[in-house]
Structures are given as structure tokens and as C-alpha cells.
Amino acid sequence: MIQVIASPSNALADEPVSIRATGLPPSQTVTIKATLKDEKENVFQSKAFYKANEAGEVDLERASALGGDYVGVHPMGLFWSLKPRKVFQRLLKRDVMNSPFVITLDLYDSVCLQDSVTIKPKASQIVQRWFAGPGVQRKQIREGRVRGALFLPPGEGPFPGIIDLFGIIGGLVEFRASLLASHGFAVLALAYFAYDDLPDKLLEIDLEYFEEAANFLLAHPKIQQPGIGVISTSKGAEIGLAMACYLKQVVATVCINGSSAILDFPLRYRDLVVTAIPRAQERIQVHASGAVRFRSFIDDPWNKLNPHSILPVEKAQGWILFIVGENDESLDSKACAQRAMDQLHSHGRSSGRMLAYPGAGHLIEPPYAPCCFASWNSGLPNPVLWGGDPMAHAAAQEHSWREIQKFFRQHLPQSRSKL
Amino acid sequence: MAKVTATPVSTLVDEPVHIRVTGLKPFQVVCLQASLRDEKGNLFASKAYYRASEVGEVDLEQDPSLGGDYMGVHPMGLFWSLKPEKLLSRLAKKDVTIPYEVHIELREPHFPIKGVVVSPPMDSLTLERWYVAPDVTRIQVKEGRLRGALFLPPGEGPFPGVVDLFGSTGGLVEFRASLLASHGFAAFALAYWAYDDLPSHLEKIDLEYFEEGVKFLLRHPKVLGPGVGVVSVCKGAEVGLSMAINLKQIKATVLINGPNFVTSDPHVYHDQVDQPVPCNIEFVTTNALGLAEFYRAFEETANKDSKYCFPIEKAQGHFLFVVGEDDKNLNSKVHAHQATAQLIQSGKKNWTLLSYPGAGHLIEPPYAPLCSASRIPYVIPSISWGGDVILHAAAQEHSWKEIQKFLKKHLLPDMSSQL
């Protein structure tokens, strides 16, 4: 009997799944297809072609895909190579507590390049991918100016606290915070514009808002004192780095593909105003797909005209982990992180570390998330080019996620109670 | 006052235009935009940013574009970097008797944001781009089984005759034949499926049909004998190669990114039947944007064993191979090298190979926009053709000149032999 077996079929989205096909004719070339429908009914699909062995089996942990969305031995390839049917859409889980992403794995005993209504799969298996583990609690936060969602692990705590910041996508993005909470951290997914009664547009970075959030987190009975961490991506990472520089409450900061100078909008903190480096319109580039490449859009922030926009990383009292994708097409992330590292060294600080991933793009997310090469971004008529070679990007996501958790366990005050 | 000029205002589509801007402030940065609507009303657009000289002028023949759809000194960049508003559309002229109208606008640099009003252009002009020179005659051909269009240069002639063949799109594609006629060739755009009462699906390549086409061309009073040439791309080049081997009237064959073996439908000539080479669809890969790359499909068969390949050494005429090294649809470089290796082995020197790094599958006359991916009928997913926009443009310019030189060399009588 032809079967496709995935185990575990019900797991956290950042956990691997073992997929096997059995009962096939020996040496048959087969197709395994994965299909997912997101919360807006957008369809994402991937497929790979494998040759069954003499026993009529395909074990994705050992077998090499011959073609399709990836080539070679990639046990989780069907997950990270998922592509939207409508190009330039990004896969992003919004409701993290009440429903998983549901992926249908279909096994065909022939090579199926095109979708067909008439050819039916010989076997199917449903896999559920959750963004919050058992016992994780979500609390909507509306305290003072602070807007977001706090995710708490099961148990008494106290737990190491982290603020999670995303970028120009705006609104409230929760899926990474809920996953981190599933690994024992108390995480506040913090919105800063285009959410609730926050400003619609980002016009300046008001660091006092982020300080309020940090103080709120530290005041919470289930959060371990005396310092918190920050995990931040893109524009969020620019803010995260500013928090590391100016707020003593922040003791460990992860900056993923962010600028180390203030761009576009000024940063304000009490009396201090850090001016932004303006964009050079003429340096924008358009990729063959029509997506806009922002990587060259800023002049070198370190040229003599912009010294005041560079963040004073030497003032940061805590630890900083820079994670960069070398194929980031929206920002020269590696150059930005390298400059910050050089700044730290030149001030005799050894509190910084950089993990640079060749082939990885801008949107480095938890493992097995599809590599989003380009997508629509709010307010812009053209899609934005993020970059990334899917296989290298997938490896970077797996490696960096482990490193991020290790970093926080090492540098955040740990709870005394066992998790 | 700021002004943009372009000369000549009305040209053949394969001729360059000199674009200049005057009346700017010294070192002012401006944006030049080009746009056209195709016959279905689809918009194609491009833009580039230039910095004026100290006398407030921009000359596209000397000045580099700083950003936009291309960078560097590219006088015709606005034309070959045109991109469709509707993704995956290809620009392909159907009615060659009517020109394209290309609008050029001079604007302040701006980044288009939804809802932000854009100020009117500083200046603008409209160019005409023709696919036929004045007084080229177009004759609809419906003789015997033949269906197509014959283009004759002005004058008495006689002119060297060329059969022009396109590929997997089917129908009647006239734009290259009309341009060849504008450069002195009697060019016969020959349809072979999905046109008029020809078969709607290609089931076989009947070489007697193409032989009829060659004989028809040679019978015409304005066509110079005793032989003709063939210009062919993709599947057309598969047919072109088969013609060159079997039909003695073929003196010069241009093969652009074609296979040197039978791909999907058998070739039939009298009693001889050449069956298609097996292909492995499981080797088809999907790139980061979800576009299908077919070039690995014959890796295990035609690429490995020349028993599958056409006996090109039997052909009596000359060959010009034009190869885009970044072709993602066919492994053109490998196929061309295999074919020329066969010729070398047989001691033949009747060929030239032009191999262009960075050029994709759809190598067309100069200044045609790069189409790196599009939909074709009956095939899902959409197909990647490959090509780097700047290198592809250079390949188109160079190869078009070489194609015309090659055809003239082998189709016009050798004057030196008449001393």
C-alpha cells in the first residue's frame, strides 16, 4: 500500500519533520507535493521529484531530490521552498494561538510537473505546524502607551524577558514571539506603528516609547530582573540597536539585518535627536522581476557627511549579536554590522558578535519558514526585493535560531526555577 | 528651461536613438522615464536617474545612469530595460505595419508611493519605433499548405531569401522577418502550427512542409537563388537544423538557442522518422520566484550521448550558432558545443559559434526588452528564460550584426570569384 508518513505530524513550526514514502514500485520516480493555504486563502506550494529505492521507499532524510523546488538531500525542503501561487506574497501567521498552518503532503507515483485535476495523489498526509507550544499564554497588552502581545511560557517563572520587534511591515507580528515563548522565554511582541491607536505612519523613532515597553516588561511579576533582551529585524533592528545603546535595561540584543545608522526618520530620546541619513532617490534599482532593490539606496553612512546618524554602539552596556544575510538585497547588512563591530573593537569592547550567512537574504526567520525572495510591502506599488538563495537561506535560518536561543540563555538573567 | 531631445524621432526598432537633456541646473539629478503600451494595452515602463554636468546637460551616449532599471553608460538602456506592469508579459509585436509609440518623460526624482501626487513631467516627447522600413512590402502567403508572411525590400531585387522560424509560442511571428527585409533580405515568416488552418497542436514536424516553403521562396522572381538561409530560435532552431541537414537548398542557417536533437515531436521527411529524445521532467527545477527552469531535462539523454543528436555533419551549408549562456530554458551552450564537436570530428569547418555570457534564451533584435520569464500556452508554472538585463542587451546588439553579415556572406554571390 502506497503511503506517505510524516512524523511528528503535529509539532511546533520550528521543529523538523521526518517524511517517508513507502509501498512504491521499486526505483519509481515520484512526486511529493506540499500545499498550504494561509489565513487569507492564499495558496503556497512546493514539490520535489525523488526516485524510490529498490524497496520502493523514499526517506527524505537520506534521499536526494532530483528536481522541483530544490535539489539534493533536504529533509525539510518541502517546507522552506513553499512558494505562493500569486507571486510576491509573503507567508506570515497572524493568529498564533488558535490555529496551526496546515500542510497537505501529496504523493504521486509519477513525475507531476503541472497541477492536474484528473491525476489524484496515491497517498496524502496532513501536517500541522503550530506557533505556540502547549501551555503558552498570550496576553493582549494595552498599558500606558505600550501596545502589543505578551507571550508567557507555562509555569510559575520568572522567565527571561525579551522584546520582539519587526520592521516596516508595521502592525503586530507575533509568530516569532510565540515561538520563543514555547522555548522558555517571556516575550513581548511590540507594535510601534499602524496598530491600534499608534501612529499610522512611522515618522520618527521615539525611544521613550520603547523604554516604556522595557520598563513594563521588567515590572511584570513573571519576568526575571534586572535586564531584558531584544530580538529585532530590519527597521526593528535599527531600533533594537538604539535601545542597546541608550537603555541600560537592555542587556542582550539580537539585530537581524538592520542598519547601524539611523535611516529615513530621526530618532528621539529625551533631549537627544539623532538625525537620519536621507535616501538618494537616484540610487534605487529595479530587479528583472520588477521588484525594487533598496540595497544601494543609501549613501555610505560612514562617509564624512553623516557622523551624527551613526549609532554609538560603544555606549551599549549589554551584549549584541548581529545576524546578517550576505545576499540581503534591501540593505548591505553585512557592511552595517561589520562597521558596528569595528566601532566596538576600536573602543576596546568585546561585547559584540557577528554571524554572517553567505547566500541568506533579508528575511531571516525561524527555521523552515519559506525564503521570501521578494514581496509586496505596505504602501509601495512595487514589490520589494529581499534576496536569498533558498537553500543557503534555509540553512541560515536553522543555524541562527539555535544561536539566538543560546545567546539569550547565556546573557539574560536565568530563572532560578527549572523550566 | 529643462528640455529632453531624442534623435531620430522615427526609426527602425533595431536602430539607436540619441537622447539628451538640456537646461538643467548644474549637477541636478533627474529621472528619465520611458513607457509604451502594447497592442493589448499592457503598459511597459522603465526609468533611469542621471546627474547633469556643470552646464546642466545630460547626454545618454556619455553619461552613466546612477540607478533605476540599469546603471552605467547605456544610451539605449531605457528601451531594453522596459518592464511590464502585468508580470510575466512579453513584448511581441503582432502587427508590424504599425509602429510602437514610446513616450519619454523628464521628471524630478521621485519614489512612487500610493496616494502621493506626482508632479507633471518637466518635458516629454514621443518616439516612433518601426518594425518595417519605408517601402518594404508585406505579402500574406496562403499557397498550398503554406501559411505565413513574405517581406520584400523595396526595389527590383533580386534579394537573398531567408526563412524565419520561431518556437514554442506557435502562431505567426513576423517582427524579425520584417526587420530582415528592412535590411535587404527577402524574409519569409513561416508559421507551422496554431495559425489559420494549420494544426492547433504540434504533433509532428513535417519537413516536406518546410521544403515547400523553401521552394516557394526560391520560385519568387525577387528572390536570389540558388539557395536560401534560415533564421531560427528555440524550437524553430530544432526545425532549422533538421532542414539544413535534409534540404540541399539551405546554404546558411542561424540557430539561436536551439537543441541539436528532436525534443517533443517526431521529425518526418518522406520515409525517415526521427523520434523525440527521452527527457526527464523530474530534473526541471523551480527558482526562488517560482519560475520553472527546464534546461536540465535532457541531462541524462541528449547531453550525455550523441547518438540522440542530429547528424549535423551531413549538412552542406554553413551554420551560425548564437548561444545565451544564461539560458534557463534549454542548455543551449551544451547543445551548441555538442553540435560543433560533431562537425570538428568530421573535419568540417562550416560553422561559427557566438556564445554570450549573461544572455538568456530569448535573444532578439537589438533594444528589445529582456523578457526573463513569461507564461506560454498550455504550460504551468511560468517559464524562466534567463538573462542578465545588461549583458543580454549587449548580446542582442552584437549578434544581430553578426547574423546579417553571416547571411550576406553565404547567400550573396562571392564577387571575388568573378575576376
Side-chain angles (χ1 to χ4, degrees):
Chain A
M1 191 182 73
I2 298 181
Q3 275 192 301
V4 60
I5 305 156
S7 87
S9 60
N10 202 353
L12 276 183
D14 62 355
E15 281 166 15
V17 178
S18 193
I19 299 173
R20 269 170 51 231
T22 58
L24 295 161
S27 308
Q28 178 72 29
T29 311
V30 300
T31 307
I32 307 183
K33 198 167 88 165
T35 310
L36 175 161
K37 224 189 241 187
D38 75 3
E39 289 146 308
K40 295 202 184 106
E41 306 277 297
N42 294 314
V43 176
F44 290 73
Q45 278 187 314
S46 63
K47 60 166 84 64
F49 308 115
Y50 287 92
K51 193 165 176 168
N53 62 15
E54 283 141 13
E57 293 184 354
V58 177
D59 180 349
L60 261 58
E61 287 191 353
R62 275 187 277 258
S64 185
L66 303 167
D69 283 88
Y70 58 95
V71 174
V73 182
H74 298 286
M76 290 298 284
L78 288 167
F79 293 83
W80 51 250
S81 71
L82 280 168
K83 294 188 178 68
R85 234 187 228 161
K86 273 190 263 165
V87 72
F88 299 137
Q89 302 215 315
R90 184 176 165 185
L91 186 66
L92 205 156
K93 194 72 168 73
R94 291 288 178 186
D95 176 1
V96 299
M97 295 302 289
N98 302 309
S99 62
F101 269 146
V102 176
I103 296 175
T104 306
L105 295 174
D106 288 316
L107 172 66
Y108 299 83
D109 63 354
S110 59
V111 181
C112 295
L113 182 61
Q114 307 192 47
D115 289 342
S116 160
V117 191
T118 48
I119 301 178
K120 299 275 180 232
K122 285 291 189 278
S124 298
Q125 160 95 69
I126 303 252
V127 177
Q128 294 188 9
R129 311 289 283 162
W130 291 87
F131 287 82
V136 166
Q137 286 172 44
R138 179 190 185 281
K139 246 198 113 201
Q140 187 73 31
I141 301 301
R142 257 188 140 242
E143 301 272 328
R145 290 195 295 164
V146 181
R147 301 288 177 266
L150 177 62
F151 292 90
L152 293 170
E156 279 309 306
F159 308 102
I162 298 174
I163 292 181
D164 186 319
L165 299 169
F166 270 80
I168 293 290
I169 191 175
L172 184 60
V173 182
E174 305 186 17
F175 70 86
R176 186 172 58 193
S178 57
L179 277 174
L180 276 174
S182 312
H183 297 298
F185 301 94
V187 190
L188 173 65
L190 182 63
Y192 52 100
F193 79 104
Y195 184 77
D196 200 348
D197 55 355
L198 292 169
D200 276 337
K201 290 202 205 344
L202 189 60
L203 296 171
E204 65 168 21
I205 297 172
D206 174 7
L207 210 58
E208 288 185 70
Y209 170 78
F210 299 88
E211 186 169 36
E212 220 185 294
N215 291 336
F216 157 79
L217 200 56
L218 278 167
H220 195 287
K222 284 197 171 182
I223 274 80
Q224 185 68 41
Q225 302 270 334
I228 55 152
V230 171
I231 181 171
S232 50
T233 294
S234 192
K235 187 77 182 166
E238 192 180 311
I239 298 171
L241 191 55
M243 290 171 75
C245 296
Y246 294 108
L247 307 178
K248 57 187 191 320
Q249 304 90 323
V250 176
V251 301
T253 311
V254 174
C255 297
I256 304 172
N257 290 323
S259 169
S260 44
I262 296 296
L263 303 176
D264 301 320
F265 327 105
L267 176 118
R268 285 173 25 153
Y269 182 50
R270 300 187 187 158
D271 297 333
L272 175 71
V273 177
V274 180
T275 49
I277 299 174
R279 299 283 189 171
Q281 295 280 3
E282 66 274 12
R283 293 171 67 114
I284 226 179
Q285 289 168 18
V286 184
H287 179 256
S289 64
V292 173
R293 182 181 191 259
F294 281 101
R295 182 165 163 146
S296 54
F297 202 16
I298 47 172
D299 275 327
D300 180 6
W302 286 268
N303 76 29
K304 297 183 199 63
L305 298 174
N306 303 310
H308 308 292
S309 305
I310 298 172
L311 285 168
V313 285
E314 65 279 3
K315 289 194 179 153
Q317 294 180 21
W319 298 82
I320 307 175
L321 176 61
F322 295 98
I323 291 181
V324 298
E326 294 189 5
N327 282 32
D328 186 342
E329 297 287 6
S330 70
L331 180 73
D332 191 351
S333 311
K334 188 173 181 186
C336 290
Q338 191 58 59
R339 295 282 200 171
M341 291 290 295
D342 293 343
Q343 238 172 292
L344 284 169
H345 288 143
S346 69
H347 284 90
R349 311 289 311 277
S350 53
S351 48
R353 186 174 164 224
M354 177 170 83
L355 290 172
Y357 296 96
H362 186 68
L363 298 175
I364 295 179
E365 296 193 352
Y368 322 128
C371 173
C372 183
F373 187 74
S375 68
W376 301 110
N377 212 26
S378 51
L380 300 174
N382 291 69
V384 178
L385 195 70
W386 306 118
D389 163 66
M391 282 185 227
H393 193 90
Q397 290 187 153
E398 262 183 89
H399 187 267
S400 61
W401 191 236
R402 280 195 295 271
E403 293 296 315
I404 287 168
Q405 293 175 64
K406 260 170 40 187
F407 172 80
F408 282 134
R409 280 188 227 288
Q410 200 178 348
H411 298 300
L412 289 179
Q414 291 301 308
S415 60
R416 282 175 289 273
S417 57
K418 292 258 189 221
L419 289 164
Chain B
M1 202 185 68
K3 214 168 149 41
V4 60
T5 58
T7 50
V9 154
S10 180
T11 49
L12 275 184
V13 92
D14 62 358
E15 280 167 11
V17 175
H18 189 181
I19 298 175
R20 266 181 293 211
V21 181
T22 55
L24 299 171
K25 302 196 240 342
F27 310 117
Q28 181 179 357
V29 174
V30 291
C31 176
L32 276 169
Q33 273 179 255
S35 63
L36 69 75
R37 280 203 188 269
D38 73 4
E39 288 145 307
K40 294 194 192 121
N42 293 318
L43 181 69
F44 287 73
S46 63
K47 64 164 147 327
Y49 296 91
Y50 288 91
R51 179 172 286 121
S53 64
E54 39 182 35
V55 297
E57 291 182 358
V58 177
D59 181 345
L60 262 58
E61 284 191 356
Q62 284 163 314
D63 298 327
S65 160
L66 306 169
D69 283 89
Y70 61 94
M71 284 169 66
V73 182
H74 298 289
M76 290 298 284
L78 286 169
F79 295 83
W80 45 248
S81 70
L82 283 167
K83 293 185 178 65
E85 193 176 42
K86 189 173 155 200
L87 292 174
L88 303 171
S89 304
R90 181 179 167 185
L91 187 68
K93 199 77 167 69
K94 288 262 184 283
D95 182 350
V96 296
T97 62
I98 300 173
Y100 275 135
E101 283 192 358
V102 180
H103 299 285
I104 307 283
E105 289 182 344
L106 175 68
R107 290 181 172 276
E108 300 281 356
H110 64 284
F111 189 65
I113 304 270
K114 273 186 206 148
V116 172
V117 176
V118 179
S119 48
M122 289 147 62
D123 192 20
S124 64
L125 56 82
T126 303
L127 298 170
E128 282 184 343
R129 303 286 284 163
W130 290 87
Y131 283 85
V132 274
D135 298 328
V136 163
T137 324
R138 179 189 183 280
I139 301 167
Q140 185 75 31
V141 175
K142 201 175 169 143
E143 275 203 27
R145 292 193 289 164
L146 298 174
R147 302 291 177 262
L150 174 63
F151 292 89
L152 293 171
E156 279 311 304
F159 310 103
V162 173
V163 176
D164 186 305
L165 300 169
F166 269 80
S168 31
T169 46
L172 181 61
V173 184
E174 305 185 16
F175 68 81
R176 190 173 54 203
S178 60
L179 281 173
L180 282 169
S182 308
H183 295 297
F185 298 91
F188 183 19
L190 181 59
Y192 50 104
W193 65 290
Y195 181 74
D196 200 351
D197 53 357
L198 290 170
S200 56
H201 291 273
L202 197 56
E203 278 163 7
K204 62 174 185 212
I205 302 285
D206 177 1
L207 280 171
E208 289 184 69
Y209 172 81
F210 297 91
E211 187 170 35
E212 233 181 279
V214 170
K215 287 181 174 165
F216 160 80
L217 195 53
L218 280 167
R219 273 201 306 270
H220 197 287
K222 287 196 174 180
V223 175
L224 180 72
V228 296
V230 172
V231 177
S232 53
V233 64
C234 187
K235 189 160 193 75
E238 183 188 320
V239 175
L241 181 48
S242 203
M243 286 167 74
I245 294 167
N246 292 290
L247 309 176
K248 56 188 189 318
Q249 307 96 324
I250 311 292
K251 296 286 182 248
T253 309
V254 179
L255 301 169
I256 305 170
N257 289 325
N260 59 328
F261 50 89
V262 181
T263 56
S264 40
D265 316 286
H267 288 217
V268 177
Y269 185 53
H270 301 309
D271 298 328
Q272 181 189 312
V273 179
D274 292 322
Q275 291 294 352
V277 171
C279 77
N280 300 87
I281 293 293
E282 63 269 24
F283 293 151
V284 174
T285 48
T286 308
N287 72 8
L289 284 170
L291 303 161
E293 300 177 334
F294 280 88
Y295 68 96
R296 289 173 68 227
F298 294 98
E299 233 168 50
E300 288 295 308
T301 50
N303 284 13
K304 282 207 167 140
D305 196 339
S306 55
K307 76 172 192 227
Y308 292 114
C309 302
F310 283 126
I312 188 174
E313 62 279 0
K314 290 191 180 159
Q316 292 178 21
H318 283 78
F319 290 102
L320 176 64
F321 293 90
V322 176
V323 167
E325 292 188 3
D326 199 49
D327 188 339
K328 297 290 188 206
N329 183 250
L330 273 179
N331 204 338
S332 303
K333 187 172 182 183
V334 166
H335 302 329
H337 277 278
Q338 224 180 9
T340 54
Q342 259 172 271
L343 290 170
I344 292 171
Q345 249 186 348
S346 311
K348 303 198 84 168
K349 297 195 172 134
N350 56 341
W351 56 274
T352 306
L353 170 59
L354 295 171
S355 191
Y356 296 96
H361 185 67
L362 299 175
I363 295 179
E364 296 193 353
Y367 321 127
L370 168 67
C371 179
S372 57
S374 66
R375 285 182 217 95
I376 64 168
Y378 312 116
V379 181
I380 299 160
S382 300
I383 298 190
S384 170
W385 305 114
D388 163 273
V389 68
I390 293 177
L391 295 172
H392 192 91
Q396 291 186 152
E397 265 192 77
H398 187 266
S399 61
W400 189 236
K401 292 202 259 288
E402 294 297 312
I403 286 169
Q404 293 174 63
K405 263 172 35 190
F406 168 80
L407 290 169
K408 288 191 168 134
K409 181 173 177 188
H410 297 295
L411 296 177
L412 289 175
D414 183 1
M415 293 310 194
S416 62
S417 67
Q418 289 177 9
L419 287 168

